[in-house]
Amino acid sequence: MKKYESLTKAELTSLLNELEANYDEMKRKGLNLDMSRGKPSPEQLNLSNELLKIDIFTAKDGTDCRNYGGLTGITEARQLFADILDVPAENVMVAGNSSLNMMYDMLSRSVTHGVMGSIPWCKLEKVKFLCPVPGYDRHFKMSEFFGFEMINIPIKDTGPDMELVEKYVSDDAEIKGIWCVPKYSNPQGISFCDETVKRFARLKPAAPDFRIFWDNAYAVHHFDENNHDVLLNLFVECEKAGNPDLLYVFGSFSKISFAGAGISAIGASKANLDFIQKSLANQTIGFDKLNMLRHVEFFKDLSGIKSHMKKHAAIIAPKFDVVLSCLTKQLGGLEIAKWQNPKGGYFVSFETLPGCAKQVISLCKGAGVTMTEAGAAFPYGIDPDDSNIRIAPSFLTEAELGSAMELFVLCVKLASVRKKCEEIF
Ligand code: PMP
């Protein structure tokens, strides 16, 4: 395929006409597909249906899980999360259905009550958060909701630009946190390299109440057990660096068992956990221990989780293949787009030519395929280059994905040619 850059004016015009005609034809197909969010497919959810039938209620230590009590969660659920998140069980607190909810609570109590004795953030003139981009839209929405100023940090293949992170964190006491999805990141699917993790552990924040929000949502979510990323253990690195309180680790079963109906956890130093629990005791008597127990009974241990995740991979990996092979076949060599080939997670991050992402999304929508809004992976919804698009292959069937991707690549070509024509004519 000839690069668009090298096409003559006449060739560009004829290509534009051809693509416009193809687009009109696609519109007539009347597609109605939604790949805007990384939801597990019903087939994936079915993998955990047996969990719904478990009706035990007594924990190993005799706790009656039908009754009140136990703010930290039952011991065996703490152990299960300890294995997933690589944090000792005594440093894990298991909570309700949503890790995002816990992140919100963490911010909320920092705003109203500070962090382990610091001035409550609401009393400060300004609170800033570092936001590696592109990143998870809900992290950014949450920060915006609390009125934090968000600062974009570019992400490379090794993780966030650490030179920039170090500079900001050590120079500016208004910076109180950084969002990280360190493994199979949302949306790039990259995992932070060892050196990046070590540099995080060695941060020297100007603010004593600065914390790393380490959202390890995709810790066990690889496609191939023989070829997967391994994330260095930040909890251990922080301890080694004499910085044990720097870190909150989050995780959940939302993409292991049921999305929004699993269990979640936070891992943190004893001092952090003590502080959190003191505050949390004013908020709840305890989380749903029956669901914790069901999860432990169903998955048993890390090896149970791993074998379950293999079943997820068998469903989801072929969908990523559909997406990636379509991109390679249709766009490879044209030099109008770049994308990442993740080894796990839920997304493919795609870059159009600068200034084309919004148009691609709107063209897709016009022909019946809803994608994540352009700019969603950036603070305030603003992608400075208007080029990032998050592709979420999990929910659609392979056949539906094939149709959606056929339209998507066509829209990328069309928007790119329109852009080239604008520049030339
Ligand atoms: N963090 C990341 C990075 C996510 O992609 C998602 C969506 N699955 C969540 C958190 C939400 O997790 P939960 O359902 O536990 O709130």
Side-chain angles (χ1 to χ4, degrees), residues 37-38 96-103 136 138-139 180-181 184-186 215-218 251-255 258-261 263-264 346-347 390:
R37 305 259 17 135
N97 68 310
S98 160
S99 58
L100 209 57
N101 195 165
M102 274 210 291
M103 295 173 220
Y136 180 36
R138 292 189 196 270
H139 288 160
C180 291
V181 184
Y184 305 131
S185 63
N186 178 348
D215 181 358
N216 205 354
Y218 300 105
S252 84
F253 272 74
S254 275
K255 284 167 178 178
F258 300 126
I263 52 176
S264 66
Y346 263 68
F347 304 100
R390 184 178 82 163

Side-chain angles (χ1 to χ4, degrees), residues 185-399:
S185 63
N186 178 348
Q188 309 90 328
I190 61 126
S191 300
F192 297 4
C193 75
D194 292 359
E195 184 53 23
T196 297
V197 174
K198 285 183 182 163
R199 287 173 79 167
F200 266 112
R202 293 194 297 253
L203 284 175
K204 304 234 173 313
D209 47 353
F210 169 88
R211 294 290 183 273
I212 302 164
F213 287 67
W214 199 248
D215 181 358
N216 205 354
Y218 300 105
V220 288
H221 299 61
H222 42 256
F223 303 145
D224 178 354
E225 61 173 339
N226 298 314
N227 179 22
H228 62 85
D229 295 345
V230 177
L231 181 69
L232 195 65
N233 186 334
L234 181 58
F235 188 87
V236 169
E237 292 302 317
C238 281
E239 282 191 328
K240 274 198 225 160
N243 258 338
D245 298 335
L246 199 59
L247 168 74
Y248 305 136
V249 183
F250 299 93
S252 84
F253 272 74
S254 275
K255 284 167 178 178
I256 299 176
S257 58
F258 300 126
I263 52 176
S264 66
I266 182 169
S269 69
K270 180 172 177 343
N272 274 321
L273 273 195
D274 286 349
F275 172 74
I276 293 167
Q277 279 160 20
K278 222 166 141 190
S279 151
L280 199 64
N282 298 292
Q283 193 178 341
T284 179
I285 305 173
F287 294 99
D288 180 350
K289 294 188 295 300
L290 289 170
N291 206 21
M292 294 180 204
L293 203 53
R294 281 193 291 267
H295 275 74
V296 174
E297 182 65 16
F298 183 71
F299 291 104
K300 308 282 187 215
D301 53 22
L302 189 59
S303 103
I305 290 175
K306 283 183 178 166
S307 66
H308 187 81
M309 292 315 288
K310 262 205 250 177
K311 297 178 196 162
H312 275 289
I315 297 169
I316 205 168
K319 298 187 182 186
F320 275 73
D321 287 344
V322 170
V323 168
L324 293 166
S325 68
C326 177
L327 295 178
T328 308
K329 248 188 242 155
Q330 294 292 330
L331 301 176
L334 298 182
E335 296 190 3
I336 54 171
K338 288 186 211 146
W339 57 91
Q340 249 125 356
N341 289 274
K343 291 189 193 145
Y346 263 68
F347 304 100
V348 174
S349 187
F350 183 91
E351 303 285 329
T352 64
L353 293 175
C356 289
K358 274 196 187 128
Q359 196 187 150
V360 170
I361 299 301
S362 137
L363 283 166
C364 285
K365 180 105 191 145
V369 173
T370 307
M371 312 274 302
T372 311
E373 283 300 321
F378 289 77
Y380 312 106
I382 300 169
D383 173 359
D385 294 329
D386 183 27
S387 73
N388 181 257
I389 291 175
R390 184 178 82 163
I391 302 174
S394 57
F395 192 72
L396 299 182
T397 64
E398 284 171 51

